[in-house]
Amino acid sequence: MVMQDGGTVDVRPGADPGRAAPEHRGAYRVTALCLGLYAGTLLAWTVYGIARGDGDLDDFLEGLFNPGAAPGAQVLGPYEWSFTVVFAVVAALALAQRRVARSAALLSAALLLAVSLREGVGLLSGPYRAQYGHDPLGGWALATRGLGLVVALVVPAVLLPAVEGRRAPGTAAWAGPDARRDRSARICGVLFLLMGLARLSWTVRDLTAGGTDVAHYLRGVVDGSLLGTPDLSASTEFTTVGSVLTLLVLGTLALRARRDVRGALLVFAAVELYLTVRTVVWLTVTDFFNRSLETTEGALSMATTAYGLAAMTSVVVLATGRGFGPYGGLRTEGFRTARAGRP
């Protein structure tokens, strides 16, 4: 303690508010094991895709950001590449007992469960099931799907009960961090909701513009057998609808200032930011920027892309900053004075 003019300033380090409670360590370790194992599996598929492709590692690295440079068909797509990194990072955070990993892991499990249910619907088709037997890698692909389902079930089972108790704000010192956290969460929620509504509008526009079989599109969202062959890459229909729903759900939760969604906001915003940057690179190399303002639709498309780039960057900055208080902010309750009215 440091004495100053009859007052005391408590500078003793307290418990890290960003760490999980000791009784939840087992749940976080199980989560780290599950997500780390699945990330390693996706990484193995990625390495296999590079090895069997026509290009080398440099071509693959360029293809990560330039869709036109990807050497041939890959086993996994950009969504799987980005979530490989997400699963690995969240596993590391869970192993370190960081509370921010909880909502990120639950989001990861929810998305894996959606993928597993879609594949389960597809396996109801006899011809599709037969494709797994005909494909030399069908057994490995099915095992990967099975592992994803196990992870999707185990992670929520161990993490949902691992709820951290919220300490009551007994003093005014809590008002500052909580207010900043809630304000940052609401900003992120608004940004997510606007992005989700914009993407929903484009999806509805594409489905109602003509030339698109709506029933076929919706089937592609929920039925993994639509392509006719086992494919670990998610379909465009699934990723589009999935991203819209995730943006709207997370945006609603954040707008309500739910303190436990910071990790989910961070990882999904990072994925969306990566995919948006990839889109910008593609628009650049195809010279779409120079032609975008020639039509109203092109200008609106460019505006949506620009908003996505700015909004997702903002969410990443806010979610990794100190605005969410207990997860990384200053412990203002650790600085107090004994003298009333002391600044």
Side-chain angles (χ1 to χ4, degrees), residues 27-293:
Y28 278 74
R29 287 169 181 164
V30 171
T31 298
L33 176 62
C34 290
L35 292 179
L37 182 60
Y38 196 73
T41 302
L42 293 182
L43 181 60
W45 279 109
T46 302
V47 172
Y48 172 78
I50 297 173
R52 80 164 191 175
D54 298 330
D56 54 15
L57 180 59
D58 291 338
D59 295 326
F60 173 78
L61 293 177
E62 182 182 357
L64 285 176
F65 292 94
N66 181 7
Q74 295 290 318
V75 179
L76 303 180
Y79 277 90
E80 290 73 28
W81 296 335
S82 58
F83 274 103
T84 299
V85 178
V86 166
F87 294 149
V89 171
V90 175
L93 290 172
L95 189 61
Q97 305 293 308
R98 305 308 299 180
R99 290 172 58 184
V100 70
R102 183 174 182 268
S103 64
L106 290 175
L107 173 64
S108 302
L111 295 175
L112 276 177
L113 182 60
V115 172
S116 299
L117 292 176
R118 179 176 181 271
E119 190 66 16
V121 173
L123 288 174
L124 296 177
S125 169
Y128 183 65
R129 290 197 305 270
Q131 289 294 327
Y132 275 101
H134 299 153
D135 193 312
L137 295 175
W140 291 105
L142 191 59
T144 301
R145 296 294 193 190
L147 177 61
L149 178 59
V150 171
V151 173
L153 295 176
V154 171
V155 169
V158 298
L159 275 188
L160 285 177
V163 179
E164 303 288 344
R166 182 171 181 174
R167 288 175 290 181
T171 64
W174 279 90
D178 279 1
R180 288 194 299 271
R181 183 200 67 228
D182 293 348
R183 183 168 58 250
S184 296
R186 292 190 178 100
I187 292 173
C188 292
V190 171
L191 294 174
F192 260 50
L193 286 174
L194 291 177
M195 188 70 238
L197 292 174
R199 191 163 293 172
L200 176 62
S201 299
W202 279 109
T203 303
V204 172
R205 181 263 175 199
D206 292 339
L207 292 177
T208 57
T212 301
D213 188 339
V214 177
H216 185 272
Y217 185 94
L218 295 178
R219 181 188 169 193
V221 176
V222 299
D223 188 353
S225 68
L226 187 65
L227 297 177
T229 57
D231 194 346
L232 290 175
S233 296
S235 68
T236 302
E237 297 88 351
F238 177 81
T239 55
T240 300
V241 174
S243 66
V244 169
L245 291 177
T246 303
L247 287 167
L248 294 178
V249 171
L250 285 181
T252 301
L253 292 175
L255 192 61
R256 295 171 57 193
R258 292 288 300 273
R259 66 186 298 174
D260 58 346
V261 298
R262 178 196 173 202
L265 289 171
L266 177 58
V267 297
F268 198 74
V271 170
E272 287 291 318
L273 180 59
Y274 161 68
L275 296 172
T276 303
V277 170
R278 204 167 185 267
T279 299
V280 171
V281 173
W282 175 246
L283 295 176
T284 302
V285 299
T286 57
D287 199 32
F288 181 80
F289 281 121
N290 295 331
R291 294 174 285 130
S292 61
L293 299 180

